[in-house]
Amino acid sequence: GAVVSQHPSWVICKSGTSVKIECRSLDFQATTMFWYRQFPKQSLMLMATSNEGSKATYEQGVEKDKFLINHASLTLSTLTVTSAHPEDSSFYICSAKFLGETQYFGPGTRLLVL
Amino acid sequence: SQKIEQNSEALNIQEGKTATLTCNYTNYSPAYLQWYRQDPGRGPVFLLLIRENEKEKRKERLKVTFDTTLKQSLFHITASQPADSATYLCALVEDTGGFKTIFGAGTRLFVKA
């Protein structure tokens, strides 16, 4: 149980375009979803926390107008990287939590902006 | 400043031996601490959670200790196998009104057959 999926698993786009990443909890309803970014050989950095039906809470230094998060239902959250630039290239990982303390992570989405 | 540190160098051990990974933290007061496994290009997979009032937790070949005085957690894999080769992430969780998880950079473990 506790499976989280992400789509797409990888994406290549041109600079200036927007990219949407989906995160779904497949077999449970997630009260909270998280979005992380991970650069090579570095730790996961929390970008934002989202609860269904409310606005996401962004971490310091993360531009909310650039990284749009929508948590429309208890099983789906989306992250849209608007006007992507090469420095946004990274590994984006979502996680979901249903009561309790454990976060269940998706497999990640690798974004490459050319 | 706040820091969470794991061995930055890779750990190489022989199959069958016990692997011990270290996680040290500074200027945090975690409510609990978690260990995750991450394979290349994949998301982390939860392994164990240990609370601030617990000294030790076990699950099959895994053991975690938590010393709040030393501000350190140790993660042990006994009878290690090549399939245990991965990066292991330490994550501490603080209760700051909401629970916030902070990850270490991870330690890469290689188990040689």
Side-chain angles (χ1 to χ4, degrees):
Chain A
V3 178
V4 176
S5 70
Q6 276 184 246
H7 179 80
S9 55
W10 59 270
V11 58
I12 301 173
C13 69
K14 291 183 180 179
S15 186
T17 60
S18 294
V19 175
K20 181 187 281 189
I21 302 170
E22 291 187 348
C23 175
R24 293 181 186 273
S25 56
L26 298 184
D27 51 2
F28 66 103
Q29 293 185 323
T31 51
T32 308
M33 286 184 164
F34 305 87
W35 286 96
Y36 293 85
R37 182 167 52 180
Q38 186 178 34
F39 292 105
K41 298 187 179 179
Q42 293 188 25
S43 62
L44 280 76
M45 297 300 295
L46 180 64
M47 299 175 67
T49 302
S50 74
N51 294 293
E52 184 262 341
S54 60
K55 288 184 179 179
T57 302
Y58 289 82
E59 294 299 303
Q60 195 172 11
V62 178
E63 300 174 56
K64 62 180 181 181
D65 294 330
K66 179 164 185 66
F67 299 99
L68 301 178
I69 292 171
N70 185 296
H71 193 161
S73 76
L74 285 171
T75 59
L76 174 64
S77 176
T78 60
L79 168 69
T80 301
V81 183
T82 62
S83 186
H85 290 284
E87 58 265 28
D88 298 323
S89 300
S90 188
F91 191 48
Y92 292 86
I93 310 174
C94 74
S95 71
K97 202 161 74 162
F98 165 67
L99 304 178
E101 300 109 342
T102 303
Q103 290 183 45
Y104 297 95
F105 284 83
T109 297
R110 189 160 300 282
L111 170 64
L112 177 60
V113 185
L114 302 176
Chain B
S1 64
Q2 293 178 312
K3 286 190 294 186
I4 176 167
E5 295 178 303
Q6 296 186 249
N7 303 26
S8 56
E9 293 183 14
L11 180 63
N12 291 283
I13 64 165
Q14 199 66 38
E15 182 177 12
K17 301 292 186 185
T18 296
T20 299
L21 286 69
T22 305
C23 175
N24 295 297
Y25 59 91
T26 307
N27 292 326
Y28 283 111
S29 297
Y32 54 92
L33 196 145
Q34 300 174 319
W35 284 86
Y36 289 83
R37 169 183 173 141
Q38 187 176 24
D39 290 287
R42 307 292 294 173
V45 174
F46 171 76
L47 297 175
L48 280 170
L49 179 154
I50 186 164
R51 301 180 195 285
E52 59 177 335
N53 59 350
E54 297 176 316
K55 295 288 186 189
E56 181 179 298
K57 223 33 169 329
R58 291 175 185 261
K59 179 182 175 183
E60 297 173 353
R61 295 185 295 113
L62 310 179
K63 184 178 85 171
V64 173
T65 63
F66 192 9
D67 189 326
T68 55
T69 302
L70 291 178
K71 298 187 186 301
Q72 180 183 77
S73 175
L74 298 178
F75 177 77
H76 306 270
I77 305 175
T78 58
S80 59
Q81 304 165 0
D84 295 326
S85 300
T87 296
Y88 290 87
L89 307 175
C90 162
L92 56 85
V93 181
E94 281 195 311
D95 182 2
T96 56
F99 288 96
K100 182 173 176 178
T101 304
I102 304 101
F103 282 85
T107 297
R108 190 79 192 270
L109 172 67
F110 292 98
V111 181
K112 293 182 285 188

